[in-house]
Amino acid sequence: MRHLIVCREFPPAVYPPGGIGTYVAHISRVLAESGEIVHVIGQRWAGATRRIERLCDGRLIVHRIAPEDSDLYPSLPGGRLAEQEMEAMLRSDFPPQWFSWVAAGLAERLVESEGIDVIEAQEWEAPLYYFLLRRTLGLGPDRKPPCIVHLHSPTEFIFRHNDWPLSRPDYYPMKRLEDFVIKASDAHLCPSRYLASHCVEHYGLAEPVEVIPLPMGSSAEIGREVETWSRGSICFCGRLEPRKGVIEFVDAAISVARDDPTLRFDFVGSDNQFNTRISVQSLVERRIPPELRACFQFHGGKPRDELLRMLGNARIAAVPSRWENFPNTCLEAMGSGLPVLATRNGGMAEMVEDGVTGWLAGDGPEPLADRLAEALRRALAATPQECAAMGRAAAQSIRGMCDNDRIARRHIAFRGAVARRGAHRSTRFPSAFPWPERSTRPSCARLPSAADDRGVAVVVLAIRGGDAVEALRNAHRQSHAPQAVIVVAPEPPRTDIPHHFLPYRGSSRAMAKALAVSSFPNVPRWMFIDRCTQLHPDALEQMGRAMDAVPGAGLVVPWAAMMQSAHPTWAEQPAFPYQWLRNEVRGPALYRREAIIDAGNFRSDIAEGHEDWALATAIMADGWAAPCLPALLASRSAEADIEEATYGQRGHASVQIACRFAKLAGEDVVALLSMLDLPVRQAVEPGSFATEQDRRTGAAQPEVVNFRKLLAMPLRDQLAVALAAAKQPRLAMSWLLWRAKTMLGNWRLRGID
């Protein structure tokens, strides 16, 4: 078979590669050595300058890309607009999306020219995002090899277990791109049963995840002297970040070292920030008492040969993670012949047998540091002969589990089965994105009830005055000629450009748009623009094709920019719960008439200027999909933003919109708050929210609801808060939306009233 693996971390990488980069380096080589043809897409930089490198007698072909590779951009507009798209990505809250963009262009070429049979990428940073998104929108090559997402470390879990603030600007863009690729891939692969079962439950995956351990690579057993087994160090290998358990392990080591100050603890791994003020290494060093500081040595990141030397001087390896998948550090340590001290919070429990190949900290309510200290005391109580025997058992056990040839055979069999089954999910826009498929939330299961002839009406709004002539010219310059061009204004425009004129002397944009839709009942698709909007000549054609490719699409929206400068590209697809907080359907959308009618048309009871937000939300709430076409096909003048700012009342509009769908909005915002793990006060009285006066008088005593625990409850219990919100929707929604917006802080929702 011919394989393609996409990984920005493929070594040598621009940043120190972790388990993902190590896995790709190993699996690509063992597959190639097994006779398979493997293409890898990695990043080109000063430490890896060749665009193409052929290894393993030409069976392993490494392609390296960089942001300046404009010949690979999968841009629809091309030219300067393609460069603007890249500039916007690099200036966005999530700059690494450039890799997914350029990789999509190269991957599409390789699929056609090299006959790729199966494609793989990890979920971290979503390097397959644009490739998969373009495929679901009918773009890219006709050949559609299936796509596998290898579950390594979802951003959502990494942030949670590192205690990183979710207000970091890159969190939600990265999480949402990962949500998309996980839902849109044809198969899922994972090295541990631990993470596989977690992802099936968390993402609501319809099919089981294939579990194949990581390959050994070139790891070799290291011989150790008797003295090493007696007085060698306890070695922690890995990045210094909270989820790796380094803080708790240092606390445990301090507790044990008080009884034996001759112990030596080595820490090998690059430092990371704990918060904006202090790094993880600085934090843990401050915890170490002065009299014990000689016991602890922090060596920073090391090349692999130096790492192996330090493992050779150790008698125990420590993998004390709060949360982990199938850590390569554990594999490397066991392969070198070391017993491992680990927690049960990940795939380590599948790798280490307690008392045989290492020591596992116990489960229980006690703090992790205390449980690690107890396991460490057990480990130190072992004799040198026992440690040596456990090290030999560890090496034998991990080699049996992760033998290169065995893992290669399993991969080839799995990938062959995936290739024979073909692309089945990746050709469809993900249903129920981003929520689990079994949830009660709407999915894009809605389909048009009749054949669509693809005719489009372009409505030019000029109800507040101004010249509509340029917008008319823009509509008639489209490569896909509109079925009708309609001007809604107090007076007809002075021009010979063909158009239909609808007189309207009111000031409501919603009523003006509703008038146009009701006046032309036979037009199946609609777009609304004003004098501040410019469309690329291919906008209607490309957006129409995307709507054809997603039969359940109620609307399609492209990327848009401010005229004269590229506005940061938003890469996420419009989705709940985020749609309740701000309109993610930004820019001129192409609407399906049936979706507009189902949603109740444009409503005049929504705060002025927010009718598009209300309509898009209603369409999505009704079950239609709302894909964002990754193409810069529209621009707006700065005057448009100034005009929108005069509308104000955004916070009021959000409450109006949410109250219309109180139950759904309640579910979604509660789910968003649960992601943030917020304590929310709910009245003891079922179905009611306690007011401030109630609390002062004791009429209703509030209780704290921990939403992380709520997620573990049955669905009916999860909806309790949402149902309570429905009893007093305006009060509840105002509070929920305000709380969510407050907690999201610096993310893209900034600017909301």
Side-chain angles (χ1 to χ4, degrees), residues 91-317:
R91 290 204 306 269
S92 71
D93 289 336
F94 180 47
Q97 65 176 294
W98 75 263
F99 181 82
S100 175
W101 182 246
V102 182
L106 177 55
E108 290 177 357
R109 295 188 185 189
L110 293 175
V111 164
E112 291 187 311
S113 63
E114 301 296 330
I116 300 298
D117 296 304
V118 66
I119 301 172
E120 178 195 341
Q122 75 280 358
E123 84 286 55
W124 172 258
E125 290 190 346
L128 273 185
Y129 174 73
Y130 284 113
F131 180 86
L132 284 169
L133 175 59
R134 283 172 53 81
R135 176 181 283 188
T136 65
L137 298 178
L139 303 170
D142 292 334
R143 285 193 75 252
K144 292 179 171 52
C147 296
I148 300 169
V149 163
H150 199 140
L151 299 165
H152 283 277
S153 309
T155 289
E156 185 173 352
F157 302 155
I158 296 294
F159 268 64
R160 180 184 304 168
H161 294 283
N162 269 328
D163 293 327
W164 287 345
L166 303 191
S167 58
R168 254 181 52 174
D170 60 341
Y171 172 69
Y172 274 95
M174 185 155 55
K175 166 184 158 40
R176 295 179 62 185
L177 267 60
E178 292 174 12
D179 286 345
F180 186 95
V181 299
I182 290 171
K183 296 291 285 187
S185 60
D186 297 295
H188 300 91
L189 180 63
C190 185
S192 73
R193 295 189 300 273
Y194 174 86
L195 182 60
S197 61
H198 194 175
C199 287
V200 167
E201 177 66 24
H202 184 78
Y203 295 105
L205 302 180
E207 298 176 6
V209 174
E210 183 75 10
V211 177
I212 303 178
L214 301 181
M216 283 294 301
S218 58
S219 178
E221 190 170 354
I222 300 172
R224 293 172 177 82
E225 301 293 335
V226 175
E227 178 65 18
T228 301
W229 291 116
S230 301
R231 308 300 299 172
S233 70
I234 296 93
C235 189
F236 172 99
C237 296
R239 289 186 299 272
L240 301 186
E241 58 182 74
R243 78 175 177 93
K244 296 289 186 179
V246 62
I247 299 173
E248 290 84 355
F249 180 64
V250 166
D251 287 347
I254 291 170
S255 173
V256 175
R258 292 186 191 279
D259 299 328
D260 184 359
T262 65
L263 294 173
R264 189 173 82 253
F265 298 90
D266 286 324
F267 294 80
V268 185
S270 56
D271 196 9
N272 285 266
Q273 285 300 117
F274 178 72
N275 55 37
T276 57
R277 300 181 303 277
I278 190 172
S279 73
V280 175
Q281 181 173 329
S282 297
L283 175 71
V284 296
E285 285 180 329
R286 291 183 183 184
R287 303 168 85 94
I288 301 171
E291 65 273 16
L292 295 178
R293 283 179 183 166
C295 300
F296 296 82
Q297 297 293 322
F298 294 86
H299 302 274
K302 295 292 183 183
R304 187 166 184 273
D305 57 344
E306 291 190 44
L307 169 63
L308 293 177
R309 181 180 59 80
M310 299 201 73
L311 288 176
N313 292 326
R315 54 173 158 160
I316 298 169

Side-chain angles (χ1 to χ4, degrees), residues 646-658:
T646 64
Y647 295 129
Q649 303 186 56
R650 186 174 297 184
H652 177 56
S654 68
V655 175
Q656 286 182 297
I657 294 167

Side-chain angles (χ1 to χ4, degrees), residues 54 127 217 231 341 394 471 473 507 693 739:
R54 298 180 184 274
R231 308 300 299 172
L341 168 71
R473 290 198 185 99
S507 60
Q693 181 178 1
R739 192 66 171 134

Side-chain angles (χ1 to χ4, degrees), residues 21-34:
T22 303
Y23 156 75
V24 175
H26 289 168
I27 196 62
S28 59
R29 185 169 289 274
V30 299
L31 287 174
E33 290 172 350
S34 299

Side-chain angles (χ1 to χ4, degrees), residues 39-79:
H39 293 262
V40 176
I41 299 177
Q43 180 174 354
R44 190 171 73 256
W45 61 293
T49 58
R50 298 178 63 179
R51 293 193 71 155
I52 299 181
E53 185 177 6
R54 298 180 184 274
L55 307 169
C56 296
D57 296 327
R59 292 190 300 276
L60 173 55
I61 305 97
V62 179
H63 309 260
R64 293 193 180 270
I65 58 176
E68 59 267 22
D69 293 341
S70 56
D71 58 311
L72 297 177
Y73 297 168
S75 176
L76 297 180

